[in-house]
Amino acid sequence: MKKNKVPAIILEKGKPFQKEYNKILKAIKRYDRIAIFRHIMPDFDALGTQFGLAQWIKDNFPDKDVKILGDNHVTFTPRLFPATDVVNESWFKQPFLTIVVDVGNAKRFADPRWKKAKYKVVLDHHPQEETNGKVNIVDTSMAAASELVCNMIYNFKGNYVMSKQAASYFYIALVGDSGRFMYSSTTTHTFQIAEQLLKSDIEISKIYQTMYEKKIDDLKVTAYILNHFDVSPHGVAYYVLTLDTQKQLNITTERGKENVNLFANIDGINAWCSITEDNKEPCFRISIRSKEKPINEVARMFEGGGHAQASGAKINSLDELPKFINELDKLFY
Ligand code: AMP
């Protein structure tokens, strides 16, 4: 990758972080062992950024021992991403570098062993209240964590390759968290990064097909949701999938939120949520999406957080659901 080919928008956006980027590149060069972490219950962006960065390091520093940590996804693995690494405790006893992507809140890091690293880097685009790395780069103006990580890579000083495989992972992440470039978080910089990734000869139609592929049985889940959703007085649409319903529909808890965007682009619906009973903890996990108004403050009131238009939260039982819906509804009075 030649420096002079990097578009000005990417160079400009990277300017404030140049010092940190240099430190990170030095750390990547210094450590033989590198472990890459992200958040629990990973989505396209968490996995795409994690696998993209791991692939980029392996392509450019083939002697490094790079590990990808955290739980696998119930349908993305192995459809879109290989399984994560199963790493023995002894590996973490030697000095290693931790890079955490797409999450700043340590409670949500998918593997506690990030802490054991000699040097820690956190790269995130969520609003954050804590710093867990020696180097922390947080930029909430980025539509996806992959947009931020790609900005870093394209700003690294030196000639590095962005392979088709690395670019494909980063592109999945970018498409995932920008809602296929539809969310208001999408900027000229987002498109510039997409353009750079396309230069690595990625096959976008194949990528979209694999990302959004559904099975015939999934249509039954959609039919159930369309027959059972509710809408609050000021346009908050929501559906509930209890464990009994999940069993009846033959879906796992993680898949509950997959239909949430059925309610996007509907006149009169301002925000929409999936409420899915958890199979591990006694609680209901909520995915919230919004057309315009930020919903992350309400998410924070219910043990969650996230972005202005896409957040996650949690309630302990359905008794709390009216209160939660009412708080969201109030945003649209
Ligand atoms: P989800 O609905 O799970 O796809 O999450 C939407 C966005 O909110 C993602 O960027 C998540 O990382 C973020 N998010 C979800 N749950 C939480 C939480 N409990 N705390 C902070 N951020 C969250």
Side-chain angles (χ1 to χ4, degrees):
M1 192 180 67
K2 293 253 174 0
K3 278 281 97 160
N4 58 12
K5 296 247 175 82
V6 178
I9 288 180
I10 295 180
L11 296 175
E12 196 56 37
K13 187 101 174 148
K15 251 190 200 160
F17 302 116
Q18 204 55 63
K19 228 166 86 189
E20 283 87 355
Y21 287 172
N22 291 341
K23 284 187 192 165
I24 294 168
L25 185 57
K26 265 195 199 153
I28 291 173
K29 288 179 181 168
R30 190 162 64 241
Y31 287 90
D32 293 336
R33 292 168 176 236
I34 302 172
I36 310 198
F37 298 82
R38 40 69 186 170
H39 60 79
I40 48 169
M41 299 189 161
D43 52 12
F44 289 127
D45 191 26
L47 284 165
T49 307
Q50 183 184 35
F51 275 89
L53 181 58
Q55 188 64 47
W56 183 86
I57 297 173
K58 288 177 194 172
D59 291 336
N60 289 285
F61 302 94
D63 295 336
K64 305 282 173 189
D65 183 4
V66 184
K67 300 291 190 221
I68 298 171
L69 281 306
D71 45 333
N72 287 308
H73 189 277
V74 62
T75 60
F76 299 169
T77 318
R79 192 174 92 224
L80 284 164
F81 306 102
T84 51
D85 293 312
V86 177
V87 187
N88 198 290
E89 284 304 319
S90 61
W91 191 91
F92 298 91
K93 294 201 169 120
Q94 303 281 332
F96 72 98
L97 163 69
T98 273
I99 306 179
V100 187
V101 296
D102 198 33
V103 57
N105 176 351
K107 270 203 294 213
R108 303 191 70 237
F109 290 6
D111 188 313
R113 294 174 294 181
W114 66 275
K115 262 194 194 152
K116 299 188 174 186
K118 269 236 180 275
Y119 199 91
K120 303 177 189 88
V121 172
V122 176
L123 304 169
D124 190 22
H125 71 135
H126 294 92
Q128 281 184 24
E129 283 123 36
E130 47 182 74
T131 47
N132 291 296
K134 175 95 178 148
V135 180
N136 297 275
I137 301 184
V138 179
D139 187 345
T140 56
S141 75
M142 299 283 190
S146 84
E147 185 182 342
L148 188 154
V149 172
C150 288
N151 180 282
M152 174 182 82
I153 287 174
Y154 290 127
N155 270 287
F156 277 159
K157 294 195 168 62
N159 285 334
Y160 296 109
V161 293
M162 176 67 87
S163 67
K164 179 177 171 180
Q165 183 64 78
S168 301
Y169 289 142
F170 282 131
Y171 192 81
I172 290 170
L174 194 61
V175 165
D177 250 28
S178 68
R180 301 184 226 183
F181 307 105
M182 282 194 300
Y183 297 158
S184 58
S185 52
T186 305
T187 63
T188 49
H189 180 264
T190 319
F191 280 114
Q192 283 288 349
I193 294 290
E195 185 186 327
Q196 286 298 106
L197 293 173
L198 280 174
K199 289 180 186 163
S200 294
D201 293 329
I202 58 175
E203 295 166 74
I204 59 168
S205 63
K206 205 165 137 193
I207 288 177
Y208 285 110
Q209 196 142 353
T210 320
M211 282 178 78
Y212 297 105
E213 184 185 81
K214 288 215 185 299
K215 304 231 179 301
I216 289 179
D217 269 359
D218 295 330
L219 296 177
K220 292 183 190 147
V221 182
T222 306
Y224 176 89
I225 290 166
L226 290 177
N227 278 311
H228 293 86
F229 72 94
D230 271 305
V231 184
S232 76
H234 297 93
V236 177
Y238 59 100
Y239 61 88
V240 178
L241 296 173
T242 61
L243 282 176
D244 278 350
T245 308
Q246 292 167 39
K247 203 167 153 201
Q248 181 194 326
L249 294 169
N250 200 19
I251 54 163
T252 54
T253 298
E254 291 81 355
R255 303 202 63 181
K257 70 174 180 188
E258 283 182 7
N259 279 279
V260 70
N261 279 326
L262 279 175
F263 304 97
N265 307 315
I266 309 280
D267 186 27
I269 295 185
N270 300 311
W272 47 100
C273 322
S274 75
I275 295 129
T276 313
E277 189 169 3
D278 199 282
N279 58 355
K280 295 181 198 89
E281 273 180 59
C283 72
F284 287 76
R285 302 212 171 262
I286 307 181
S287 282
I288 321 162
R289 305 290 184 264
S290 157
K291 211 175 250 174
E292 280 169 16
K293 286 232 170 118
I295 33 81
N296 43 0
E297 276 305 319
V298 174
R300 270 195 278 274
M301 291 165 63
F302 293 86
E303 294 182 52
H307 308 286
Q309 263 95 34
S311 283
K314 190 168 114 172
I315 50 175
N316 295 318
S317 79
L318 288 181
D319 296 342
E320 288 175 53
L321 184 58
K323 184 166 182 278
F324 169 76
I325 296 296
N326 188 41
E327 287 299 335
L328 269 184
D329 193 70
K330 277 201 262 180
L331 296 176
F332 307 103
Y333 281 5

